[in-house]
Structures are given as C-alpha cells and as structure tokens.
C-alpha cells in the first residue's frame, strides 16, 4: 500500500504517519512545506519520500498512481481559525482540496480529507454529520466557511459516496508544538503551570455558561488517528464523519485535569475574551457519533483525564509521537 499524506509534517498528519508506521506501513509520500518548526514531527518516522506542496501539485499530471492499493489522505490546509484572509483560506482549504479530490477520483484512488467541526457554527442546528443537515450549517468564521465550502461541493456534486471526510473536533496532543497561537491550551500553559503559575481561561459572555464552563468536544490525537485508520482499513465506508469523543467537557475540566497530572492544586484566572473573538466563539460543541457508529467504528476514546495525563508525559520532555 502506498499512502500520500498531505500535511504529513503537520500535527494530525504526522501523527497519522506514526500510526501507519506502527501498522507496518512505510511506503508513504509526505507532502508539506519544509520548515524547521515541523522537523521534529517526522523525526524517526519511515517514509518513502517528501514533496513540497507546490512541487506535488505541479507533478499531479505525471504522478503514476493507479487506484488499487493506493490511498490519498489530505490533511494539508491552513489551520488558523482566526485567519481573516478569505482568498488565502479559499485557495488552501477549498481549491487545493477540490484539485486533489478531482485528481484522485479520476485515478479511482481512495480520497480521505480533513474537514472541521468549525463548520457547525454556533451549534444552533446541533452537531449531526447527516448530509441533510450540512447544507443548513452557518460557520462563524472564514476558516469554517473554507472547510464548509468543500463539504458543500461534494454534496452538490453527489460525491459523498465516493470519498471520506473527517469533521475533527478539538484535537490536542503531541506534535502540535509548531502551531503557535493555534496550539491547545494544554500545550500553551504546561510550562507556566509546571512553574507554579496560574492558568488563564476566557470569561463567559453568555449567562447560560459560568466562567470556564464553556464546553468543547476534546479528542486526543491518538484517538483521532485511530478513527482515521479505521477508514483506511474499511475503504468501502464513505461519507463525511464527525471525529470526536461524543462527550463535551468544560475548559475548567481541562484545567483541573492538567493540574492533576502535575499533582498541583488548581489555580485559574478568568480573563476577558478579545473583542474580535466574541462574535465567533463556540460555547458548546459535541460530536454526534451516530453515523460513525453505524459505519462500524466503535473505537473507545480515552477520557479527558486519561488523555491529558498521557500528553503531560510528552510535554514534560517536549517529546513527539
């Protein structure tokens, strides 16, 4: 089996390469942009080749990749949820994905890609990944719209039975060190908390939620790639699927889990939310896993406490998967 993993030096992509290696798969083409900040993500991993994104796109017409025994997993994208440059997001998250999908479909090569739970917007319509719901969704930011655009393209062209998409919820874990402002709050605050300082969380601006009680579906990256791998083993399973735990947890829960992993008493400070974020903030997310379970994926995710404890072991030494 030859697997092309775009974004393979990034967070989820490199963890997927780790999982593939663990399963004995090493014929992997990683497509990404070269950068010192991501170097650790691929260290020690076995791949057949590395291609930069532009060179890969330029070679698509020449790349001989017959469908049988070959897979394209498209994880490459602009990942900043606060990015405001619509043209940049559409180019990297919609057009790039569309180009690869059309190429893979022409080659009759299985195509799997990363969507996002940001497509659900404020959650007014719930978090069902059913195709009948998707056209009604209203993302809260341009990042969400750029991901939603490709989901809609598939639906409008009746292609959801030919590809597999993953609506990732709040993924955290090793190999996210390069993500800067987009790192999980666990990665951002580990060193300061270990040094005895407080953890800062955003205040709530909705009366339904106390400070720190805003809730998200936090999923450990090891669990996320296990779910992706299920679909690599079951290529007949097509459609767009939620990738989450199915259980929302609060930011306070995250803080308590992190302090507990360091055997410390919680010290939490609630700070004002940036004005530009208030209107685009998701107060609650929780993956509906009905469609995932119906597809046959019954992976049991680690609890938040188990996952944070495991991740703390990596953060202590800035270790990688």
């Amino acid at each position: 089996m030859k697997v092309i993993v775009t974004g393979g030096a990034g967070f989820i992509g490199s963890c997927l390469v780790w999982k593939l290696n663990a399963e004995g798969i090493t014929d992997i083409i990683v497509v990404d942009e070269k950068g010192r900040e991501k170097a650790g993500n691929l260290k020690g991993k076995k791949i057949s080749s590395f291609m930069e994104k532009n060179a890969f796109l330029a070679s698509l017409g020449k790349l001989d990749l017959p469908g049988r025994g070959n897979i394209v997993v498209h994880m490459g994208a602009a990942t900043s949820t606060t990015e405001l440059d619509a043209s940049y997001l559409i180019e990297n998250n919609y057009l790039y994905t569309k180009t690869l999908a059309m190429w893979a479909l022409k080659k009759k090569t299985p195509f799997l890609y990363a969507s996002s739970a940001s497509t659900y917007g404020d959650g007014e319509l719930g978090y069902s990944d059913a195709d009948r719901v998707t056209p009604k969704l209203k993302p809260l930011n341009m990042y969400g719209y750029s991901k939603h655009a490709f989901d809609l393209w598939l639906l409008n062209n009746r292609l959801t039975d030919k590809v597999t998409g993953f609506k990732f919820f709040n993924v955290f874990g090793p190999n996210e060190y390069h993500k800067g402002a987009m790192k999980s709050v666990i990665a951002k605050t580990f060193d300061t908390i270990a040094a005895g300082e407080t953890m800062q969380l955003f205040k709530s601006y909705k009366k339904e939620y106390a400070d720190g009680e805003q809730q998200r579906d936090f999923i450990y990256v090891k669990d996320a790639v296990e779910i992706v791998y299920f679909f690599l083993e079951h290529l007949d399973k097509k459609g767009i699927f939620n990738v989450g735990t199915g259980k929302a947890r609060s930011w306070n829960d995250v803080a308590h889990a992190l302090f507990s992993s360091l055997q410390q008493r919680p010290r939490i400070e609630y700070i004002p939310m940036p004005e530009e974020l208030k209107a685009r903030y998701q107060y609650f997310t929780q993956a509906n896993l009905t469609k995932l379970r119906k597809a046959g994926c019954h992976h049991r995710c680690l609890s938040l406490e188990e996952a944070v404890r495991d991740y703390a072991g990596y953060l202590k030494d800035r270790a990688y998967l």
Side-chain angles (χ1 to χ4, degrees):
M1 178 192 295
K2 182 187 292 292
V3 184
I4 295 176
V5 183
T6 71
F11 173 34
I12 301 176
S14 64
C15 292
L16 178 60
V17 173
W18 166 79
K19 172 62 180 176
L20 291 171
N21 281 181
E23 297 295 334
I25 299 168
T26 59
D27 193 359
I28 303 167
I29 298 175
V30 167
V31 179
D32 213 312
E33 296 174 351
K34 287 184 178 178
R36 191 176 299 174
E37 69 279 2
K38 294 181 182 178
N41 287 351
L42 290 179
K43 187 176 181 180
K45 295 180 176 63
K46 296 179 180 179
I47 64 174
S48 54
S49 62
F50 181 100
M51 296 182 71
E52 292 196 77
K53 173 187 171 183
N54 291 338
F56 172 65
L57 286 172
S59 72
L60 284 184
K62 305 174 184 176
L63 193 60
D64 183 22
L65 189 69
R68 189 172 183 83
N70 297 284
I71 302 172
V72 177
V73 186
H74 179 47
M75 297 288 172
T79 59
S80 174
T81 58
T82 58
E83 177 63 61
L84 299 177
D85 187 335
S87 296
Y88 172 77
L89 288 168
I90 291 299
E91 176 67 32
N92 286 278
N93 292 357
Y94 171 61
L95 295 176
Y96 182 22
T97 310
K98 183 178 172 183
T99 296
L100 292 188
M102 292 175 69
W103 171 73
L105 289 168
K106 183 179 179 180
K107 289 279 188 177
K108 297 183 179 179
T109 298
F111 181 77
L112 301 87
Y113 76 97
S115 183
S116 169
S118 65
T119 58
Y120 288 112
D122 64 5
E124 178 185 4
L125 298 176
Y127 297 90
S128 169
D129 47 12
D131 287 352
R132 59 181 173 75
V133 176
T134 299
K136 304 173 186 177
L137 300 178
K138 297 178 181 179
L140 294 175
N141 55 38
M142 281 308 306
Y143 170 79
Y145 273 109
S146 69
K147 288 292 191 177
H148 189 49
F150 183 73
D151 295 344
L152 291 178
W153 180 79
L154 289 177
L155 286 168
N156 292 337
N157 288 278
R158 299 181 181 180
L159 294 171
T160 55
D161 63 341
K162 297 184 183 302
V163 304
T164 306
F166 304 109
K167 290 199 174 193
F168 290 107
F169 279 68
N170 278 62
V171 186
F172 68 96
N175 298 22
E176 65 170 322
Y177 310 121
H178 65 282
K179 289 174 63 67
M182 292 297 107
K183 287 190 296 188
S184 69
V185 70
I186 301 166
K188 286 180 182 177
T189 62
F190 181 85
D191 289 340
T192 56
I193 288 174
E197 298 183 29
T198 62
M199 184 173 189
Q200 294 184 332
L201 298 175
F202 287 139
K203 291 181 178 179
S204 172
Y205 295 89
K206 287 188 176 182
K207 61 182 180 180
E208 307 97 290
Y209 298 90
D211 290 341
E213 288 301 309
Q214 307 96 315
Q215 297 179 50
R216 298 286 178 88
D217 190 331
F218 299 97
I219 179 169
Y220 198 33
V221 71
K222 289 183 179 181
D223 291 312
V225 297
E226 286 289 344
I227 292 171
V228 172
Y229 189 74
F230 168 84
F231 286 94
L232 293 179
E233 287 192 305
H234 300 84
L235 292 171
D236 59 315
K237 309 293 184 181
K238 307 292 186 182
I240 304 173
F241 298 90
N242 285 333
V243 177
T245 66
K247 184 176 178 59
R249 300 293 300 272
S250 73
W251 291 103
N252 283 332
D253 289 337
V254 172
H256 282 263
L258 184 52
F259 279 105
S260 176
S261 72
L262 291 168
Q263 298 182 319
Q264 293 186 16
R265 176 181 58 82
R267 301 177 302 278
I268 305 171
E269 176 188 4
Y270 301 102
I271 62 173
M273 189 183 296
E275 288 297 325
E276 64 272 16
L277 188 58
K278 286 182 181 179
R280 304 193 299 271
Y281 187 79
Q282 288 178 303
Y283 274 76
F284 178 88
T285 66
Q286 180 172 277
N288 182 324
L289 301 182
T290 302
K291 191 173 176 182
L292 186 72
R293 300 306 186 216
K294 189 174 181 181
C297 181
H298 297 284
H299 174 72
R300 176 198 172 276
C301 293
L302 294 174
S303 69
L304 178 64
E305 288 75 15
E306 291 170 328
V308 171
R309 189 181 310 118
D310 188 72
Y311 188 19
Y314 289 89
L315 287 167
K316 182 179 179 182
D317 301 314
R318 195 183 168 102
Y320 295 84
L321 283 186

